[in-house]
Amino acid sequence: MKKVLTTLIAAGALLTLAACSSNSSSKKVTSSDDKVTFHALNGDVKVPKNPKRIAVQNYPDEVASLGANVVGTDSWAFPNTFLSKNQKKNMVDLGAPKFNMEKLIAQNPDLIITVDKDQVADYQKVAPTVLVNYKDLSGMNKSLDYFAKLLNREDEKASFLKNFKKEADKQKEKLAKVDVKPAKNTISLLELQGDKVYAFGDNFARGGQALTTGLGFKESSKMAELSKGVGYAEVNTESLGEFDADYIFIDFADKDKEQYAALKNNPAWQNLKAVKEGHVITMDYDKVYFFGGPTAAKEELSLYTDAIIKATK
């Protein structure tokens, strides 16, 4: 339970740190051939035009998805199993919630990206430091736009999105063969953590981007509220009905299997439309609970498609 709550608190803390302002970001070429000025949350920052060694907090997936070299990230984002060996070949665990300065210096980054405004002063002694705003990065397309601009990788962004769409279309064809039409169905995302139930929006991992941006499912009205807000909420059994949808995706760790069994016996759960129609899809917590970047979303397309097909046969 401690690990689970720590993860939620950690993720929430990172989002809170980054959501202090709604400043937009832009990049403009300066007189230097190898430097550009990027307007970030912490002001105008002169960054490498083509950074080669990037330390990034919370968003290594986004940076790696664009083919950039990530040399370090935080302890929470580091275990991302969806990133390839090549994407992680130079990546080291720099600690959390703030980077270990000795490890950071040893990696010799030429650009640091952080969500923690309190660490900017220290980090910028090592390399140009960009403070990002969570509100600028909500959703795969927005985050890719932001980092492609920062890293000068617009071509790489276009290539990734092309491959993402190709994989999404492939999975949609598989769903169509079993008469599942995402565009005509709503979803909600739930998670069990001990004796608590949480609901999530589309940008808090748990397959949100794969299911919506990728496969094209519609969010339930309550899920959409979370997507526009803080991203998650605790739900009591009495309010479960607010998250009813055509399909409910629920994940939990092995240690919470008994909790799921108890939930299934609850009348409030049994009364949900998705439950009555056999449209509850259980997912492995360890695979989906935290990682939701572009590469993770791309890899999850088949993971969720196969789970839907298996559950609705």
Side-chain angles (χ1 to χ4, degrees):
M1 182 65 182
K2 181 178 179 182
K3 174 189 173 186
V4 178
L5 289 178
T6 300
T7 300
L8 253 186
I9 293 169
L14 288 175
L15 300 186
T16 301
L17 286 169
C20 301
S21 171
S22 59
N23 292 355
S24 60
S25 301
S26 61
K27 197 170 186 179
K28 53 186 178 182
V29 178
T30 65
S31 58
S32 172
D33 290 336
D34 60 352
K35 293 280 187 178
V36 293
T37 299
F38 188 82
H39 185 66
L41 197 55
N42 55 319
D44 287 341
V45 183
K46 288 187 176 181
V47 302
K49 184 177 181 180
N50 296 292
K52 304 298 184 185
R53 299 181 60 81
I54 304 162
V56 53
Q57 184 183 35
N58 205 45
Y59 296 101
D61 189 317
E62 283 76 1
V63 175
S65 294
L66 294 171
N69 180 31
V70 180
V71 298
T73 191
D74 59 88
S75 299
W76 297 318
F78 181 75
N80 190 336
T81 56
F82 294 108
L83 295 179
S84 68
K85 289 183 178 180
N86 185 58
Q87 288 173 313
K88 297 185 74 172
K89 64 182 179 181
N90 297 318
M91 190 187 303
V92 301
D93 183 347
L94 295 176
K98 60 183 180 181
F99 290 156
N100 177 290
M101 291 302 292
E102 289 185 5
K103 290 183 177 180
L104 179 63
I105 292 170
Q107 288 304 98
N108 192 30
D110 60 359
L111 177 65
I112 300 171
I113 303 168
T114 182
V115 300
D116 189 349
K117 62 184 178 67
D118 294 332
Q119 302 304 318
V120 170
D122 286 336
Y123 295 164
Q124 62 188 9
K125 295 175 184 177
V126 180
T129 300
V130 169
L131 178 65
V132 300
N133 177 16
Y134 167 67
K135 291 183 179 179
D136 288 338
L137 308 178
S138 58
M140 187 182 79
N141 289 323
K142 281 188 177 181
S143 65
L144 284 175
D145 284 346
Y146 183 95
F147 286 107
K149 184 182 295 184
L150 171 60
L151 304 175
N152 192 27
R153 288 181 171 266
E154 295 291 346
D155 289 344
E156 290 83 354
K157 180 189 76 172
S159 177
F160 177 87
L161 289 174
K162 180 180 179 180
N163 290 331
F164 183 88
K165 183 180 184 302
K166 181 178 179 181
E167 179 63 23
D169 289 344
K170 176 182 175 181
Q171 300 305 321
K172 288 178 185 177
E173 289 178 4
K174 290 167 61 176
L175 291 174
K177 290 180 180 179
V178 294
D179 201 31
V180 175
K181 301 173 182 177
K184 295 185 178 181
N185 288 280
T186 58
I187 62 168
S188 281
L189 307 180
L190 301 178
E191 183 172 278
L192 298 180
Q193 299 185 9
D195 61 351
K196 298 184 183 299
V197 180
Y198 289 90
F200 294 88
D202 70 345
N203 196 37
F204 219 90
R206 283 85 181 173
Q209 288 297 296
L211 289 163
T212 57
T213 301
L215 298 177
F217 281 99
K218 297 186 296 183
E219 299 176 77
S220 66
S221 58
K222 203 66 175 178
M223 178 180 170
E225 287 182 22
L226 294 180
S227 298
K228 295 175 183 177
V230 297
Y232 72 97
E234 184 177 345
V235 182
N236 57 44
T237 53
E238 289 75 18
S239 61
L240 273 173
E242 297 178 5
F243 291 90
D244 203 359
D246 295 307
Y247 288 85
I248 291 177
F249 296 83
I250 183 167
D251 69 89
F252 48 88
D254 284 343
K255 61 185 178 61
D256 290 322
K257 284 183 177 180
E258 291 185 5
Q259 169 68 1
Y260 182 54
L263 179 65
K264 289 194 295 183
N265 289 325
N266 189 298
W269 176 261
Q270 294 173 348
N271 197 44
L272 297 177
K273 173 185 177 182
V275 174
K276 291 178 178 179
E277 296 184 356
H279 290 171
V280 175
I281 318 297
T282 59
M283 303 300 298
D284 184 345
Y285 163 86
D286 288 319
K287 289 183 178 180
V288 304
Y289 79 104
F290 191 68
F291 309 113
T295 292
K298 181 174 179 288
E299 296 300 313
E300 286 175 336
L301 290 169
S302 60
L303 182 69
Y304 276 84
T305 295
D306 291 345
I308 294 168
I309 293 173
K310 180 180 178 181
T312 56
K313 280 185 177 179

